[in-house]
Amino acid sequence: MGDLREMLHRVADLIADYRETLPDQHVAPSLGRAAVRESLARELPDGPASLASVVDELVSRAMPGLMASAGPRYFGFVIGGSPDAAVAADLLTVGWDQCAYNEALSPAALAFEDVAGTWLKELLGLPASASVGFTTGGQGANTVGLAAGRWKVLEQVGWDVGRDGLGGAPRVRVVAGAERHATIDRSLRLLGLGESAITEIPALANGAMDTDALQVVLRRQPDMPTIVSAQAGNVNTGACDDLNAVTSAAAEVGAWVHVDGAFGLWAAANPGTKHLVAGIGAADSWACDGHKWLNVPYDSGFAFCAHPDVHAIAMEYTASYLTGQVAGRMFGGGDFVPESSRRARGFATWAALLALGRFGVADLIERSCALARYAAMLLERLDDVEVVNEVVLNQILVRVGDAELTSSVEQLIQADGTCWLGATTWRGERLLRISVSNWSTTERDIELTVDAVGRAQAEAVALRAEESTR
Ligand SMILES: *Cc1c(COP(=O)(O)O)cnc(C)c1O
């Protein structure tokens, strides 16, 4: 055991060193996938290697290919960092190596999920009686919520999808906004509903669902088994669907409402943004991420359901066909997710919530939004740079030129290494996208980033002028 103790101390130092220098690191990795693989490539050895040599090789080969996405100037996609308490809890989780399937395997893993789940529901404005499954992320949570909806809307027309599957089942309609996240479509493919189940509702200018159109569509076929898939937090603009309008339109026809709130659901935890998700509590299922805005280390997501019996019947395997026999059993762990053996994700989430407290969570959300507005203001001051969206949350869309110039600016920014941000297509136009989601980002980081954007834009314009004179 002496070896392990010594090695864990060394590993702790390596992790601490890495994290301390995150703010100063070149954000993009110095090597790409192929180069890292080449540096590793060799025959699988016949014999064993010492603990020290394994760790040495891992560290030296992996580090050049690490993205400093846990640092304060990573603004790509929607990526959180990892605050100290959550990192410590996750390290313990690995050391304890618990299987969080059920109470028999780990009472602690289940109990921490229970308490973290209760806190999450309170922060996110969800019913206290809702069930919670700890998933790998938003994709997993969307799949769980839509599976519960699928079970329920088919049960309402007398079809048991758990027993009889989808062959010969009444058609299920999934009504979703045109700017839904791509994970919704994948979930529907996985669930056997298929992409053709989607009735697409046009989006408003900000990307939110046009709820007048939703009402018309729902009223047209009020008796069809229907799931409405709404969204809180569009990945491009941050826009949230009007959930009061969505849930009341759905209630008229008895449709199930699922809310994909991978990051946007966190708006509910902050008094300054709560109004964006008003009506949230009246939905039937919700998906949310821990690893995005709560900044829990990867991977961490939450599937909530207002109907725990439906949630359990749709997911667990001991009684999926025994409707009505689930009452009285204490569900949790593997009953609310598609996996059986699974990582104990409750520890890190619980630690993050305890370390932040209610006000800390609100402050994290508020600060990210304020920094996003600050970035938008500074970007607008740059020549030939324009912010395209109304910055309602933490997402910013930036116009720097045509598609070719945008791609050139994007590459120059990433190569410069001050920060990392990517591009997206919004309404047919290539734009830079900035997501402010990291707990450690400061005003100074925003200023450095805006400077980097300005430099890259000027350089891209100069490069183009040079090329055209050649
Ligand atoms: C990120 C995201 C997802 C997918 O979540 P993962 O955690 O990557 O699985 C789904 N929906 C929205 C709106 C997202 O932003």
Side-chain angles (χ1 to χ4, degrees):
M1 251 355 232
D3 267 5
L4 177 65
R5 182 173 297 275
E6 205 174 297
M7 183 50 71
L8 289 179
H9 280 287
R10 217 189 115 210
V11 165
D13 280 335
L14 286 165
I15 295 171
D17 289 346
Y18 176 75
R19 296 174 59 81
E20 270 166 24
T21 57
L22 270 175
D24 313 314
Q25 279 175 32
H26 190 280
V27 181
S30 55
L31 294 184
R33 174 184 179 176
V36 173
R37 198 171 51 198
E38 208 169 293
S39 80
L40 279 175
R42 53 160 141 137
E43 291 291 312
L44 174 66
D46 289 328
S50 70
L51 177 59
S53 71
V54 170
V55 172
D56 284 348
E57 182 161 349
L58 170 63
V59 171
S60 66
R61 300 304 185 206
M63 294 232 1
L66 297 183
M67 174 70 82
S69 50
R73 289 190 304 281
Y74 184 89
F75 302 102
F77 308 93
V78 185
I79 304 280
S82 40
D84 296 347
V87 170
D90 241 6
L91 289 173
L92 286 165
T93 304
V94 171
W96 290 335
D97 192 21
Q98 299 291 287
C99 176
Y101 174 64
N102 63 14
E103 184 180 349
L105 280 158
S106 179
L110 278 267
F112 276 72
E113 284 190 2
D114 289 341
V115 172
T118 300
W119 289 354
L120 287 168
K121 285 181 279 181
E122 196 182 322
L123 285 169
L124 298 173
L126 307 182
S129 56
S131 43
V132 191
F134 284 67
T135 63
T136 50
Q139 171 83 73
N142 278 331
T143 307
V144 171
L146 293 167
R150 180 187 67 166
W151 189 91
K152 183 65 186 175
V153 300
L154 284 172
E155 190 230 25
Q156 284 168 341
V157 292
W159 187 268
D160 183 341
V161 69
R163 190 185 59 202
D164 299 326
L166 286 171
R171 201 82 178 112
V172 173
R173 165 174 71 161
V174 180
V175 183
E179 292 292 342
R180 66 188 174 279
H181 196 267
T183 50
I184 295 296
D185 299 51
R186 176 152 71 173
S187 293
L188 297 176
R189 289 196 295 270
L190 288 170
L191 291 169
L193 295 171
E195 290 165 26
S196 66
I198 298 173
T199 301
E200 196 168 273
I201 303 296
L204 302 170
N206 65 358
M209 188 194 289
D210 177 346
T211 50
D212 291 339
L214 171 70
Q215 196 178 49
V216 171
V217 164
L218 292 180
R219 283 180 181 172
R220 209 180 288 147
Q221 283 171 290
D223 300 324
M224 189 169 179
T226 300
I227 298 169
V228 178
S229 184
Q231 179 169 258
N234 173 281
V235 276
N236 287 313
T237 63
C240 300
D241 294 349
D242 177 343
L243 296 174
N244 275 320
V246 168
T247 50
S248 52
E252 271 186 34
V253 297
W256 178 281
V257 178
H258 172 74
V259 180
D260 174 6
F263 68 97
L265 212 57
W266 287 104
N270 169 36
T273 47
K274 211 176 163 158
H275 63 279
L276 296 170
V277 291
I280 185 80
D284 297 288
S285 58
W286 304 265
C288 188
D289 264 318
H291 51 224
K292 286 182 178 171
W293 225 346
L294 184 59
N295 280 245
V296 175
Y298 286 94
D299 49 19
S300 175
F302 319 113
F304 302 93
C305 185
H307 317 284
D309 52 342
V310 175
H311 191 170
I313 288 166
M315 280 297 134
E316 57 100 40
Y317 56 61
T318 54
S320 59
Y321 50 91
L322 300 174
T323 313
Q325 292 198 5
V326 296
R329 224 189 94 185
M330 202 168 150
F331 284 87
D335 298 322
F336 291 134
V337 295
E339 299 89 15
S340 294
S341 297
R342 49 195 285 277
R343 190 180 157 68
R345 295 196 183 83
F347 296 133
T349 298
W350 173 89
L353 293 174
L354 183 67
L356 287 166
R358 188 190 314 275
F359 296 151
V361 173
D363 179 61
L364 170 64
I365 305 307
E366 183 61 31
R367 213 157 15 92
S368 312
C369 295
L371 288 172
R373 289 191 299 269
Y374 183 52
M377 186 192 84
L378 296 182
L379 285 161
E380 284 280 359
R381 288 190 196 160
L382 297 175
D383 292 336
D384 304 317
V385 171
E386 236 180 305
V387 172
V388 172
N389 64 317
E390 187 195 344
V391 181
V392 289
L393 274 181
N394 56 335
Q395 304 293 110
I396 314 169
L397 291 177
V398 191
R399 182 182 289 129
V400 292
D402 59 26
E404 194 194 345
L405 198 75
T406 305
S407 164
S408 162
V409 173
E410 180 193 7
Q411 284 166 30
L412 288 166
I413 290 172
Q414 293 173 5
D416 169 78
T418 304
C419 63
W420 200 102
L421 48 93
T424 186
T425 301
W426 171 251
R427 306 270 135 120
E429 193 185 3
R430 288 301 280 173
L431 301 166
L432 298 180
R433 178 174 64 177
I434 297 175
S435 174
V436 185
S437 317
N438 189 301
W439 67 280
S440 65
T441 304
T442 63
E443 286 190 5
R444 179 77 190 131
D445 292 314
I446 297 295
E447 289 155 9
L448 291 169
T449 296
V450 172
D451 286 349
V453 172
R455 272 199 311 277
Q457 209 269 350
E459 199 182 331
V461 169
L463 281 171
R464 177 182 273 189
E466 218 172 88
E467 263 166 35
S468 68
T469 57
R470 223 182 273 146

